């Protein structure tokens, strides 16, 4: 029972503190992101004036309204004994009435300094001297808790002092062509391979050399392939010629005759000299073929009479001409 009562008391004490804790956690996500103290031609406000400006960024993924926060360049507010009303007098409050003060996730807010709130909710009376280093601070709505601060060195006209990356603790001076008001300080541009090739090889020499290298490499590979293929074909033709040489054929024929003689000798040894080395199977096959031809009446028909027909030639006429020189 006591545990339940203790738990309820703790919850009753913590519940009022939860909004304050959540607010404090969200305030840590709000920070100064980029500052330009000497603006002569970089960025104009809606009235065409070039004033110093301060950029605030929300690095969280939740929406936070920065209205009611304070910005100051007066270091005297660091005195812990200074009263809150006196501290507020030395600060410039971010007024309400403009939807842009509600910063959504990863968004930025640009505030003009050395101006007057009569020009708009984003115009502050904060004083910035571009000729000397400037300390600038961001306080929460109670004008007591310091959220973020940075000292900007004296920099040239239209130069800015910005974080090197989103949420980074390091700052750098950015040239006029690299100033990024209202967007991330570090922009990762995606460049296609074609655009990169155009940028790195505007005249096309590199791609020409590469294309010629590919062509000549292919030609070299083809030369090597056909060279070895030709060697293979020549060796193959030479091997074929060697197999066609007559002594080799004679040797093959001798082997065949030797094998045939050996076969006939084996037949004579088995069946006797009358067989003359011819297998009985051959005799049987020849006799069977003759009988088949006889029965089919396909044997040769001969009359048995030889007829010699005389033929006249001019030999007798040529004979006197050939023998007259011998008389």
């Amino acid at each position: 029972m006591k545990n339940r009562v203790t738990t309820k008391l703790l919850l009753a004490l913590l519940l009022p503190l939860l909004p304050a804790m959540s607010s404090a956690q969200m305030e840590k996500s709000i920070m100064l992101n980029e500052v330009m103290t000497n603006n002569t031609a970089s960025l104009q406000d809606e009235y065409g004036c070039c004033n110093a400006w301060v950029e605030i960024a929300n690095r969280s993924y939740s929406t936070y309204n920065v209205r009611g926060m304070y910005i100051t360049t007066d270091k005297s507010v660091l005195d812990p004994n200074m009263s809150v009303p006196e501290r507020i007098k030395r600060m410039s409050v971010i007024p309400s009435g403009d939807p842009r003060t509600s910063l959504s996730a990863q968004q930025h807010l640009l505030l003009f300094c050395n101006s007057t709130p009569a020009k708009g909710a984003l115009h502050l009376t904060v004083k910035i001297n571009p000729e000397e280093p400037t300390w600038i601070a961001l306080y929460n709505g109670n004008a007591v808790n310091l959220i973020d601060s940075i000292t900007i060195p004296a920099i040239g006209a239209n130069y800015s002092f910005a974080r090197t990356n989103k949420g980074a603790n390091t700052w750098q001076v950015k040239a006029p062509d690299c100033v990024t008001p209202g967007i991330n300080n570090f922009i990762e541009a995606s460049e296609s391979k074609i655009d990169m090739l155009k940028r790195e090889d505007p005249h096309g020499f590199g791609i020409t050399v590469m294309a010629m290298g590919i062509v000549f490499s292919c030609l070299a590979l083809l030369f090597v392939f056909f060279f070895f293929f030709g060697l293979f074909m020549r060796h193959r033709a030479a091997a074929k010629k060697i197999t066609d040489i007559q002594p080799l054929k004679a040797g093959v024929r001798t082997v065949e005759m030797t094998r045939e003689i050996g076969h006939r000798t084996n037949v004579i040894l088995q069946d006797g000299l009358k067989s003359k080395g011819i297998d009985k199977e051959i005799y049987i096959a020849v006799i069977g073929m003759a009988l088949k031809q006889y029965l089919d009446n396909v044997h040769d028909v001969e009359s048995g009479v030889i007829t010699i027909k005389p033929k006249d030639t001019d030999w007798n006429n040529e004979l006197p001409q050939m023998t007259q020189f011998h008389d």
Side-chain angles (χ1 to χ4, degrees), residues 197-223:
L197 185 62
K198 290 180 180 179
R199 175 174 53 81
E200 295 182 352
D201 186 23
H203 301 290
F205 295 120
I207 191 67
T208 301
V209 173
M210 183 175 65
M212 293 179 64
I214 293 173
V215 172
F216 283 112
S217 299
C218 293
L219 291 176
L221 290 175
L222 289 174
F223 171 78

Side-chain angles (χ1 to χ4, degrees), residues 32-325:
L32 299 171
N33 193 55
E34 188 172 4
V35 180
M36 179 177 287
T37 58
N38 190 4
N39 180 17
T40 61
S42 175
L43 183 66
Q44 295 181 353
D45 61 13
E46 57 269 36
Y47 298 94
C49 299
C50 295
N51 295 321
W53 50 265
V54 177
E55 182 186 60
I56 299 175
N58 178 14
R59 65 176 180 177
S60 71
Y61 292 93
S62 301
T63 301
Y64 188 84
N65 201 325
V66 297
R67 70 174 183 267
M69 287 187 171
Y70 294 91
I71 293 181
T72 183
T73 56
D74 192 344
K75 277 192 173 183
S76 64
V77 297
L78 294 174
D79 185 3
N81 297 321
M82 182 179 292
S83 63
V84 174
E86 185 64 27
R87 184 179 284 112
I88 291 176
K89 291 180 182 179
R90 302 167 188 261
M91 297 179 178
S92 181
V93 66
I94 301 175
S96 59
D98 194 308
R100 287 175 290 181
T101 60
S102 182
L103 290 180
S104 58
Q106 308 295 316
Q107 292 300 309
H108 305 78
L109 176 66
L110 209 65
L111 301 171
F112 292 99
C113 303
N114 296 335
S115 186
T116 174
K119 290 185 175 181
L122 304 183
H123 291 260
L124 307 178
T125 58
V126 176
K127 301 299 180 183
I128 293 180
N129 186 358
E131 297 180 358
E132 59 185 23
T134 302
W135 177 81
I136 188 168
L138 176 66
Y139 277 81
N140 69 347
N142 58 17
V144 175
N145 297 331
L146 178 63
I147 297 176
D148 194 13
S149 65
I150 188 66
T151 298
I152 300 97
I155 54 180
N158 302 315
Y159 282 77
S160 72
F161 198 60
R163 295 182 186 272
T164 55
N165 201 350
K166 180 178 64 177
N169 294 324
T170 55
W171 291 66
Q172 65 179 355
V173 177
K174 302 184 71 173
D177 57 344
C178 298
V179 176
T180 56
I183 58 176
N184 288 330
N185 297 341
F186 177 77
I187 302 174
E188 185 177 359
S190 59
E191 185 179 24
S192 65
K193 294 182 178 180
I194 296 176
D195 294 334
M196 183 178 65
L197 185 62
K198 290 180 180 179
R199 175 174 53 81
E200 295 182 352
D201 186 23
H203 301 290
F205 295 120
I207 191 67
T208 301
V209 173
M210 183 175 65
M212 293 179 64
I214 293 173
V215 172
F216 283 112
S217 299
C218 293
L219 291 176
L221 290 175
L222 289 174
F223 171 78
V224 172
F225 171 76
F226 284 110
F227 175 77
F228 285 104
F229 182 75
L231 289 179
F232 170 74
M233 294 304 294
R234 285 197 294 270
H235 285 294
R236 183 178 179 183
K240 186 177 181 181
K241 289 182 180 179
I242 292 173
T243 57
D244 292 339
I245 295 176
Q246 294 299 329
L248 184 60
K249 288 185 175 182
V252 174
R253 181 61 179 169
T254 302
V255 172
E256 292 178 354
M257 291 181 64
T258 302
R259 185 174 59 184
E260 185 178 355
I261 292 172
H263 176 69
R264 289 190 178 187
T265 303
N266 187 26
V267 173
I268 290 174
L269 292 175
Q270 292 181 358
D271 299 334
L273 295 175
K274 293 182 180 180
S275 64
K276 297 181 181 181
I278 302 176
D279 292 339
K280 293 180 180 180
E281 289 80 2
I282 296 177
Y283 280 113
I284 295 172
V286 171
I287 294 172
M289 184 180 296
L291 290 174
K292 183 70 169 64
Q293 290 180 350
Y294 177 76
L295 293 175
D296 294 340
N297 197 22
V298 295
H299 58 280
D300 296 337
V301 178
E302 298 180 355
S303 62
V305 179
I306 298 175
T307 303
I308 299 175
K309 295 180 180 181
K311 183 177 181 182
D312 296 332
T313 64
D314 295 333
W315 177 257
N316 294 332
N317 296 330
E318 297 294 333
L319 181 60
Q321 297 178 6
M322 296 176 63
T323 59
Q324 64 181 344
F325 300 102

